[in-house]
Amino acid sequence: MALRVYDDKIGGTLVERKYPNAYFINDGDIREYVTHLKPPYGEGFYHEICFENVHIGFGNVSLKNKVLLYFEADFDSVEMHFSLKGRSAALSDNFGYKVCFDSYQHNIIYAHQMSGQMEFDGHEMQILEINLAPAFFTKFLPEDSDVFNTFRNAIEKQHSCLINPHHNRISLEMYQILNDIIHCERKGIFKRIYLEAKVAELLLLQLEQLFKSESSSSLLKKDEEKIYAVRDFIINNLDQNCSLVDLAHQVGTNEFTLKKGFKELFGTTVFNFWNDTKMEQAKKMLLEGDLNINEISDIIGYKNPRHFSAAFKRKYNLIPSKLRNTNGITH
Protein backbone atom coordinates (compact mmCIF):
# COMPACT_ATOMS: atom_id res chain seq x y z
CA MET A 1 0.00 0.00 0.00
CA ALA A 2 1.53 3.26 -1.13
CA LEU A 3 0.43 6.88 -1.53
CA ARG A 4 2.29 9.73 -3.20
CA VAL A 5 1.32 13.41 -3.26
CA TYR A 6 3.47 15.69 -5.38
CA ASP A 7 3.69 19.03 -7.19
CA ASP A 8 4.26 18.52 -10.90
CA LYS A 9 5.22 22.17 -11.48
CA ILE A 10 7.91 22.40 -8.80
CA GLY A 11 8.79 18.73 -9.06
CA GLY A 12 8.75 18.01 -5.33
CA THR A 13 7.11 15.16 -3.42
CA LEU A 14 5.12 16.38 -0.42
CA VAL A 15 3.96 13.03 0.95
CA GLU A 16 5.12 9.53 0.12
CA ARG A 17 3.90 6.73 2.34
CA LYS A 18 4.15 2.97 2.29
CA TYR A 19 1.50 2.15 4.83
CA PRO A 20 2.12 -0.73 7.23
CA ASN A 21 0.27 -4.00 7.05
CA ALA A 22 -1.61 -2.91 10.17
CA TYR A 23 -4.06 -1.21 7.78
CA PHE A 24 -5.27 -4.67 6.77
CA ILE A 25 -3.59 -7.10 9.16
CA ASN A 26 -3.68 -6.88 12.93
CA ASP A 27 -0.13 -6.56 14.23
CA GLY A 28 -1.21 -4.89 17.46
CA ASP A 29 0.30 -1.50 16.64
CA ILE A 30 -0.96 1.99 15.92
CA ARG A 31 1.20 3.93 13.47
CA GLU A 32 1.18 7.73 13.41
CA TYR A 33 2.70 10.30 11.06
CA VAL A 34 2.62 14.10 11.05
CA THR A 35 3.40 16.01 7.84
CA HIS A 36 4.03 19.75 8.11
CA LEU A 37 3.13 22.02 5.22
CA LYS A 38 5.72 24.69 4.48
CA PRO A 39 6.09 27.61 2.07
CA PRO A 40 5.53 28.19 -0.84
CA TYR A 41 2.20 26.41 -0.24
CA GLY A 42 1.35 27.75 3.20
CA GLU A 43 1.60 26.54 6.79
CA GLY A 44 -0.11 23.76 8.70
CA PHE A 45 -0.09 20.03 9.37
CA TYR A 46 -1.66 16.71 8.40
CA HIS A 47 -1.81 14.01 11.09
CA GLU A 48 -2.28 10.35 10.15
CA ILE A 49 -3.20 7.42 12.41
CA CYS A 50 -3.53 3.89 11.06
CA PHE A 51 -4.31 0.45 12.45
CA GLU A 52 -6.19 -2.65 11.31
CA ASN A 53 -8.75 -1.75 8.60
CA VAL A 54 -8.63 1.96 9.47
CA HIS A 55 -6.60 5.01 8.40
CA ILE A 56 -7.50 8.38 9.94
CA GLY A 57 -6.11 11.63 8.58
CA PHE A 58 -6.87 15.17 9.68
CA GLY A 59 -5.25 18.51 9.09
CA ASN A 60 -5.50 22.25 9.32
CA VAL A 61 -3.56 24.44 6.89
CA SER A 62 -3.47 28.09 5.89
CA LEU A 63 -2.86 28.61 2.18
CA LYS A 64 -1.45 31.70 0.53
CA ASN A 65 -2.98 30.90 -2.87
CA LYS A 66 -4.93 28.18 -4.63
CA VAL A 67 -2.88 24.97 -4.58
CA LEU A 68 -2.86 22.29 -7.28
CA LEU A 69 -1.31 18.92 -6.37
CA TYR A 70 -1.18 15.46 -7.92
CA PHE A 71 -1.69 12.12 -6.21
CA GLU A 72 -1.22 8.41 -6.85
CA ALA A 73 -2.56 5.54 -4.70
CA ASP A 74 -2.18 1.83 -5.42
CA PHE A 75 -4.89 0.56 -3.05
CA ASP A 76 -8.69 0.43 -2.73
CA SER A 77 -10.39 2.38 0.02
CA VAL A 78 -13.76 3.57 1.28
CA GLU A 79 -13.31 7.12 2.53
CA MET A 80 -15.50 8.92 5.05
CA HIS A 81 -14.73 12.50 3.99
CA PHE A 82 -15.48 15.56 6.15
CA SER A 83 -14.74 19.05 4.84
CA LEU A 84 -14.77 21.29 7.91
CA LYS A 85 -13.44 24.48 6.32
CA GLY A 86 -12.36 25.55 2.86
CA ARG A 87 -13.04 24.33 -0.65
CA SER A 88 -11.38 21.40 -2.38
CA ALA A 89 -11.78 19.38 -5.57
CA ALA A 90 -10.36 16.15 -6.95
CA LEU A 91 -10.25 15.03 -10.58
CA SER A 92 -9.44 11.46 -11.56
CA ASP A 93 -10.02 9.25 -14.59
CA ASN A 94 -11.69 6.78 -12.22
CA PHE A 95 -14.59 9.20 -11.76
CA GLY A 96 -14.61 11.08 -15.03
CA TYR A 97 -15.83 14.22 -13.29
CA LYS A 98 -14.57 16.63 -10.65
CA VAL A 99 -15.60 15.85 -7.06
CA CYS A 100 -15.88 19.13 -5.13
CA PHE A 101 -16.33 19.71 -1.41
CA ASP A 102 -17.20 22.97 0.32
CA SER A 103 -17.15 23.85 4.01
CA TYR A 104 -19.41 21.83 6.34
CA GLN A 105 -19.99 18.96 3.87
CA HIS A 106 -19.42 15.21 4.08
CA ASN A 107 -19.84 12.09 1.97
CA ILE A 108 -18.57 8.52 1.58
CA ILE A 109 -16.32 7.73 -1.39
CA TYR A 110 -15.13 4.43 -2.85
CA ALA A 111 -11.77 4.87 -4.60
CA HIS A 112 -10.16 2.11 -6.67
CA GLN A 113 -6.42 2.74 -7.11
CA MET A 114 -6.90 6.45 -7.71
CA SER A 115 -4.59 8.90 -9.43
CA GLY A 116 -5.26 12.45 -10.52
CA GLN A 117 -5.11 16.01 -9.24
CA MET A 118 -6.39 17.89 -6.20
CA GLU A 119 -7.22 21.58 -5.92
CA PHE A 120 -7.40 23.46 -2.62
CA ASP A 121 -9.02 26.88 -2.69
CA GLY A 122 -9.44 28.57 0.66
CA HIS A 123 -7.31 30.58 3.04
CA GLU A 124 -7.95 28.08 5.83
CA MET A 125 -8.46 24.41 5.04
CA GLN A 126 -9.58 21.89 7.65
CA ILE A 127 -10.48 18.31 6.76
CA LEU A 128 -10.85 14.92 8.40
CA GLU A 129 -10.95 11.74 6.34
CA ILE A 130 -11.22 8.14 7.48
CA ASN A 131 -10.22 5.40 5.04
CA LEU A 132 -11.60 1.93 5.63
CA ALA A 133 -10.69 -1.36 3.98
CA PRO A 134 -13.64 -2.10 1.61
CA ALA A 135 -14.28 -5.61 2.98
CA PHE A 136 -14.41 -4.14 6.49
CA PHE A 137 -16.74 -1.29 5.46
CA THR A 138 -19.29 -3.45 3.64
CA LYS A 139 -19.98 -5.38 6.85
CA PHE A 140 -21.71 -2.25 8.16
CA LEU A 141 -23.92 -1.60 5.10
CA PRO A 142 -27.63 -2.36 5.61
CA GLU A 143 -29.12 -4.62 2.94
CA ASP A 144 -32.60 -3.12 2.68
CA SER A 145 -31.74 0.06 0.79
CA ASP A 146 -31.27 0.74 -2.93
CA VAL A 147 -28.66 3.41 -2.17
CA PHE A 148 -26.53 1.05 -0.09
CA ASN A 149 -26.98 -1.89 -2.47
CA THR A 150 -25.84 0.25 -5.42
CA PHE A 151 -22.75 1.32 -3.50
CA ARG A 152 -21.98 -2.26 -2.45
CA ASN A 153 -22.21 -3.41 -6.07
CA ALA A 154 -19.86 -0.63 -7.17
CA ILE A 155 -17.29 -1.79 -4.59
CA GLU A 156 -17.60 -5.38 -5.77
CA LYS A 157 -17.06 -4.29 -9.39
CA GLN A 158 -14.27 -1.85 -8.39
CA HIS A 159 -16.08 1.15 -9.86
CA SER A 160 -15.04 4.33 -8.02
CA CYS A 161 -18.04 6.41 -6.94
CA LEU A 162 -19.78 8.44 -4.22
CA ILE A 163 -22.37 6.73 -2.06
CA ASN A 164 -24.60 9.76 -2.69
CA PRO A 165 -24.16 12.18 -5.64
CA HIS A 166 -25.09 15.06 -3.31
CA HIS A 167 -23.04 15.88 -0.21
CA ASN A 168 -24.78 16.12 3.16
CA ARG A 169 -24.24 18.69 5.89
CA ILE A 170 -22.11 17.83 8.91
CA SER A 171 -24.43 17.59 11.92
CA LEU A 172 -23.70 18.75 15.46
CA GLU A 173 -23.37 15.13 16.60
CA MET A 174 -20.79 14.56 13.88
CA TYR A 175 -18.87 17.69 14.87
CA GLN A 176 -18.59 16.42 18.44
CA ILE A 177 -17.20 13.06 17.34
CA LEU A 178 -14.79 14.67 14.88
CA ASN A 179 -13.54 16.89 17.70
CA ASP A 180 -13.13 13.84 19.97
CA ILE A 181 -11.03 12.08 17.31
CA ILE A 182 -8.81 15.09 16.63
CA HIS A 183 -8.11 15.73 20.32
CA CYS A 184 -7.78 12.13 21.51
CA GLU A 185 -4.87 11.93 23.95
CA ARG A 186 -5.07 8.24 24.87
CA LYS A 187 -2.13 5.99 24.06
CA GLY A 188 -1.56 2.50 22.71
CA ILE A 189 -4.36 -0.04 22.77
CA PHE A 190 -6.66 2.35 24.66
CA LYS A 191 -6.31 4.90 21.88
CA ARG A 192 -7.17 2.26 19.30
CA ILE A 193 -10.25 1.06 21.20
CA TYR A 194 -11.41 4.67 21.61
CA LEU A 195 -10.87 5.58 17.96
CA GLU A 196 -12.50 2.39 16.68
CA ALA A 197 -15.62 3.24 18.70
CA LYS A 198 -15.67 6.83 17.43
CA VAL A 199 -15.22 5.75 13.80
CA ALA A 200 -18.14 3.29 14.14
CA GLU A 201 -20.31 5.98 15.75
CA LEU A 202 -19.45 8.47 13.01
CA LEU A 203 -20.20 5.95 10.27
CA LEU A 204 -23.54 5.20 11.94
CA LEU A 205 -24.49 8.88 11.76
CA GLN A 206 -23.48 9.12 8.10
CA LEU A 207 -25.46 6.03 7.11
CA GLU A 208 -28.50 7.10 9.15
CA GLN A 209 -28.49 10.50 7.49
CA LEU A 210 -28.37 8.86 4.07
CA PHE A 211 -31.09 6.37 4.95
CA LYS A 212 -33.45 9.09 6.11
CA SER A 213 -33.01 10.84 2.74
CA GLU A 214 -33.46 14.22 4.38
CA SER A 215 -34.96 16.96 2.23
CA SER A 216 -32.67 19.68 1.01
CA SER A 217 -32.28 22.84 3.05
CA SER A 218 -34.72 25.70 2.44
CA LEU A 219 -31.91 28.12 3.26
CA LEU A 220 -30.00 30.07 0.67
CA LYS A 221 -26.32 29.15 0.45
CA LYS A 222 -25.25 32.59 1.73
CA ASP A 223 -27.57 32.30 4.77
CA GLU A 224 -26.34 28.78 5.52
CA GLU A 225 -22.75 30.04 5.63
CA LYS A 226 -23.74 32.84 8.01
CA ILE A 227 -25.40 30.37 10.40
CA TYR A 228 -22.29 28.19 10.40
CA ALA A 229 -20.31 31.36 11.18
CA VAL A 230 -22.52 31.90 14.26
CA ARG A 231 -21.84 28.32 15.36
CA ASP A 232 -18.09 28.90 15.00
CA PHE A 233 -18.33 32.19 16.92
CA ILE A 234 -20.10 30.46 19.81
CA ILE A 235 -17.50 27.69 20.02
CA ASN A 236 -14.65 30.21 20.06
CA ASN A 237 -16.28 32.72 22.43
CA LEU A 238 -17.91 30.74 25.22
CA ASP A 239 -17.32 33.54 27.75
CA GLN A 240 -19.28 36.10 25.73
CA ASN A 241 -22.88 37.12 26.39
CA CYS A 242 -24.62 38.12 23.17
CA SER A 243 -28.28 38.50 22.29
CA LEU A 244 -29.78 36.78 19.27
CA VAL A 245 -29.92 40.16 17.53
CA ASP A 246 -26.21 40.75 18.27
CA LEU A 247 -25.28 37.38 16.79
CA ALA A 248 -27.44 37.92 13.72
CA HIS A 249 -26.04 41.38 13.03
CA GLN A 250 -22.49 40.13 13.54
CA VAL A 251 -22.77 37.83 10.52
CA GLY A 252 -25.03 40.07 8.45
CA THR A 253 -28.42 38.40 8.81
CA ASN A 254 -31.59 38.96 10.84
CA GLU A 255 -32.98 37.36 13.99
CA PHE A 256 -35.73 35.42 12.20
CA THR A 257 -33.36 33.84 9.65
CA LEU A 258 -30.87 32.93 12.37
CA LYS A 259 -33.49 31.30 14.62
CA LYS A 260 -35.17 29.36 11.83
CA GLY A 261 -31.94 28.41 10.05
CA PHE A 262 -30.05 27.31 13.16
CA LYS A 263 -32.92 25.02 14.14
CA GLU A 264 -33.09 23.59 10.62
CA LEU A 265 -29.34 23.00 10.30
CA PHE A 266 -28.57 21.77 13.80
CA GLY A 267 -31.85 20.60 15.30
CA THR A 268 -31.62 22.87 18.34
CA THR A 269 -31.87 26.54 19.28
CA VAL A 270 -28.94 28.94 19.32
CA PHE A 271 -28.92 29.27 23.10
CA ASN A 272 -29.46 25.58 23.81
CA PHE A 273 -26.42 24.90 21.66
CA TRP A 274 -24.44 27.65 23.40
CA ASN A 275 -25.33 26.30 26.84
CA ASP A 276 -24.62 22.67 25.90
CA THR A 277 -21.23 23.67 24.45
CA LYS A 278 -20.37 25.57 27.63
CA MET A 279 -21.31 22.63 29.81
CA GLU A 280 -19.33 20.15 27.68
CA GLN A 281 -16.26 22.37 27.89
CA ALA A 282 -16.71 22.78 31.65
CA LYS A 283 -17.06 19.02 32.08
CA LYS A 284 -13.86 18.43 30.15
CA MET A 285 -11.95 21.00 32.24
CA LEU A 286 -13.26 19.49 35.47
CA LEU A 287 -12.18 15.99 34.50
CA GLU A 288 -8.91 16.71 32.75
CA GLY A 289 -7.56 20.01 34.10
CA ASP A 290 -6.32 21.61 37.29
CA LEU A 291 -8.49 24.75 37.27
CA ASN A 292 -10.79 25.32 40.22
CA ILE A 293 -14.54 25.71 39.83
CA ASN A 294 -14.45 29.50 40.10
CA GLU A 295 -11.87 29.71 37.29
CA ILE A 296 -13.88 27.36 35.05
CA SER A 297 -17.04 29.32 35.76
CA ASP A 298 -15.34 32.53 34.64
CA ILE A 299 -13.84 30.97 31.48
CA ILE A 300 -17.22 29.88 30.16
CA GLY A 301 -18.92 33.17 30.96
CA TYR A 302 -20.51 32.72 34.40
CA LYS A 303 -19.50 35.54 36.71
CA ASN A 304 -21.31 33.89 39.61
CA PRO A 305 -20.05 30.33 40.32
CA ARG A 306 -23.37 29.45 41.96
CA HIS A 307 -25.19 30.15 38.71
CA PHE A 308 -22.67 27.95 36.90
CA SER A 309 -23.18 25.11 39.41
CA ALA A 310 -26.96 25.35 39.01
CA ALA A 311 -26.70 25.24 35.20
CA PHE A 312 -24.27 22.32 35.38
CA LYS A 313 -26.62 20.37 37.66
CA ARG A 314 -29.54 20.95 35.28
CA LYS A 315 -27.44 19.49 32.47
CA TYR A 316 -25.77 16.53 34.22
CA ASN A 317 -27.88 16.06 37.37
CA LEU A 318 -24.92 16.63 39.71
CA ILE A 319 -22.90 19.61 40.84
CA PRO A 320 -19.39 20.31 39.44
CA SER A 321 -17.57 19.45 42.68
CA LYS A 322 -19.30 16.08 42.81
CA LEU A 323 -18.18 15.27 39.26
CA ARG A 324 -14.58 16.13 40.10
CA ASN A 325 -14.70 14.04 43.28
CA THR A 326 -15.81 10.98 41.30
CA ASN A 327 -12.47 11.24 39.44
CA GLY A 328 -14.09 10.88 36.05
CA ILE A 329 -16.38 7.90 36.76
CA THR A 330 -19.31 9.73 35.14
CA HIS A 331 -17.37 10.80 32.09
Side-chain angles (χ1 to χ4, degrees), residues 107-151:
N107 210 329
I108 299 175
I109 308 164
Y110 168 62
H112 171 63
Q113 300 181 4
M114 296 277 283
S115 64
Q117 64 184 41
M118 298 182 294
E119 298 175 2
F120 299 96
D121 185 10
H123 177 67
E124 185 175 0
M125 300 289 304
Q126 187 176 6
I127 63 169
L128 188 146
E129 46 200 6
I130 300 170
N131 293 87
L132 306 175
F136 174 76
F137 169 80
T138 53
K139 295 178 182 178
F140 294 93
L141 275 182
E143 297 182 356
D144 55 350
S145 164
D146 291 339
V147 171
F148 299 148
N149 287 335
T150 299
F151 193 60

Side-chain angles (χ1 to χ4, degrees), residues 85-231:
K85 287 184 181 179
R87 184 173 301 165
S88 63
L91 181 62
S92 170
D93 291 339
N94 303 58
F95 277 88
Y97 60 92
K98 186 179 289 188
V99 178
C100 303
F101 279 90
D102 214 332
S103 300
Y104 323 122
Q105 294 180 335
H106 74 91
N107 210 329
I108 299 175
I109 308 164
Y110 168 62
H112 171 63
Q113 300 181 4
M114 296 277 283
S115 64
Q117 64 184 41
M118 298 182 294
E119 298 175 2
F120 299 96
D121 185 10
H123 177 67
E124 185 175 0
M125 300 289 304
Q126 187 176 6
I127 63 169
L128 188 146
E129 46 200 6
I130 300 170
N131 293 87
L132 306 175
F136 174 76
F137 169 80
T138 53
K139 295 178 182 178
F140 294 93
L141 275 182
E143 297 182 356
D144 55 350
S145 164
D146 291 339
V147 171
F148 299 148
N149 287 335
T150 299
F151 193 60
R152 183 186 289 104
N153 291 336
I155 294 173
E156 291 174 354
K157 296 176 181 178
Q158 297 185 322
H159 291 166
S160 301
C161 67
L162 299 168
I163 195 170
N164 184 6
H166 305 292
H167 303 322
N168 285 329
R169 294 189 302 267
I170 301 174
S171 69
L172 285 179
E173 287 180 287
M174 292 177 186
Y175 270 112
Q176 182 59 56
I177 299 170
L178 294 169
N179 188 64
D180 290 341
I181 291 172
I182 291 170
H183 295 102
C184 176
E185 296 182 355
R186 288 175 167 85
K187 305 295 182 183
I189 188 62
F190 298 111
K191 184 168 188 172
R192 173 174 166 169
I193 293 171
Y194 181 83
L195 292 177
E196 283 180 333
K198 292 297 177 180
V199 168
E201 190 177 357
L202 197 55
L203 179 58
L204 168 66
L205 294 177
Q206 282 191 292
L207 295 178
E208 278 186 336
Q209 195 179 64
L210 281 166
F211 190 74
K212 290 175 183 176
S213 299
E214 295 179 342
S215 60
S216 59
S217 172
S218 65
L219 292 166
L220 297 175
K221 179 66 176 177
K222 62 177 183 178
D223 289 331
E224 190 172 300
E225 291 176 349
K226 290 173 182 177
I227 290 166
Y228 273 104
V230 169
R231 183 197 71 91

Side-chain angles (χ1 to χ4, degrees), residues 214-276:
E214 295 179 342
S215 60
S216 59
S217 172
S218 65
L219 292 166
L220 297 175
K221 179 66 176 177
K222 62 177 183 178
D223 289 331
E224 190 172 300
E225 291 176 349
K226 290 173 182 177
I227 290 166
Y228 273 104
V230 169
R231 183 197 71 91
D232 292 344
F233 175 83
I234 290 172
I235 290 172
N236 295 318
N237 297 275
L238 293 181
D239 62 332
Q240 298 295 310
N241 289 298
C242 299
S243 69
L244 205 61
V245 173
D246 292 335
L247 290 170
H249 288 176
Q250 184 165 307
V251 298
T253 189
N254 57 63
E255 182 179 359
F256 175 79
T257 300
L258 177 56
K259 286 175 64 176
K260 179 177 180 295
F262 203 95
K263 181 73 173 179
E264 181 178 330
L265 283 176
F266 302 125
T268 187
T269 68
V270 173
F271 290 109
N272 279 344
F273 171 69
W274 203 331
N275 182 69
D276 287 348

Side-chain angles (χ1 to χ4, degrees), residues 2-7 11-17 19 70-75 116 118:
L3 169 70
R4 180 173 176 244
V5 179
Y6 61 97
D7 187 325
T13 297
L14 276 74
V15 177
E16 187 165 14
R17 296 269 191 265
Y19 290 104
Y70 295 83
F71 65 94
E72 301 170 350
D74 67 355
F75 53 91
M118 298 182 294

